[in-house]
Every structure is written in C-alpha cells, then in structure tokens.
C-alpha cells in the first residue's frame, strides 16, 4: 500500500505544484510514483505533459487528474499499485482539499517566508489536525540572506 503525500495550502502561489513535481521526479527513479492533480489550475497536468514530451527516457510517473466525488475511489486505485501517491491540492480549503488531506499519510504545507503565507498555513494545519493527519511545514522560496 502506498504512502500518500498531499501538498496543501489554502493560499495560492506558495509552490504547491513545484514541490509535488520535484518530489515526484526525485522519487521516480527508485519508487512507483503516482501524481494526482486536483487543483483546477492544472499546472501539474501541464508539467507532466511537458516532462514526458521533453524527456521520453525519464522514469515513468502515473498521472491522474480526477477530482470531486471520484477522488476517494481514484486514490484507492492508485494506492494499490504504487509506492508513493503525491496529491497537488487546490489553493483553498474545500471539499477536494479536505478529501485529499483525509486520504494522506503526510500533509506538506509549503510556506514562503512572509507573514501572509504563515497566516494562511494556519487553516491547513487546523484541517490536518482535525483529520488527525501528520502535517509538516516546508519553507519554500527562501532567500539565503533573508532576516525573516
């Protein structure tokens, strides 16, 4: 059974998709990885298509963009045949994000070094706690000389 990692944050522009894509690319050489893009913007979908077109020799990734009422069944299907399932969630706490967090073993919350990002993370942390899921904040886009 797979480890499910949901990348979630109610604020847009924090790097959720970039984090999910980089984790997938990093894990793909040694693990069976599935990506699930439930963000309506579908940036992970575009990344996956470009990756496959530019580098046909890249380690394979299974991809799905099912959301809504079919999300739980799709997640169960992917878990049966993969080592890791990465979910890129929408930039709000809604039904899809709640289901993605509920189905996760680990919730990663990307946060840029800015007060609005930190404030926005609170809602996602509360949702993960309510669903009794392990959550970790990932500092993202941190300038090396930042005082913040």
């Amino acid at each position: 059974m797979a480890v499910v990692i949901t990348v979630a944050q109610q604020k847009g522009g924090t790097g959720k998709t970039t984090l999910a894509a980089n984790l997938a690319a990093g894990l793909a050489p040694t693990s069976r990885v599935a990506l699930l893009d439930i963000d309506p913007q579908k940036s992970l979908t575009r990344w996956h298509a470009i990756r496959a077109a530019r580098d046909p020799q890249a380690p394979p990734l299974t991809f799905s963009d099912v959301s809504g009422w079919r999300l739980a069944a799709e997640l169960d299907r992917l878990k049966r045949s993969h080592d890791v399932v990465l979910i890129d969630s929408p930039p709000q706490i809604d039904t899809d994000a709640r289901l993605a967090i509920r189905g996760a073993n680990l919730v990663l919350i990307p946060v840029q070094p800015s007060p609005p990002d930190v404030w926005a993370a609170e809602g996602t942390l509360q949702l993960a706690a309510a669903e009794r899921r392990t959550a970790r904040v990932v500092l993202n886009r941190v300038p090396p000389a930042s005082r913040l």
Side-chain angles (χ1 to χ4, degrees), residues 23-33 51 58-61:
L23 284 171
L27 291 169
T30 59
S31 302
R32 296 171 298 158
V33 178
R51 176 184 183 266
L61 297 169

Side-chain angles (χ1 to χ4, degrees), residues 54-78:
R54 286 193 180 165
D55 188 1
Q57 302 302 319
L61 297 169
T62 301
F63 186 82
S64 177
D65 62 357
V66 169
S67 59
W69 62 271
R70 300 178 304 176
L71 179 59
E74 181 68 357
L75 186 53
D76 285 343
R77 184 186 74 79
L78 292 170

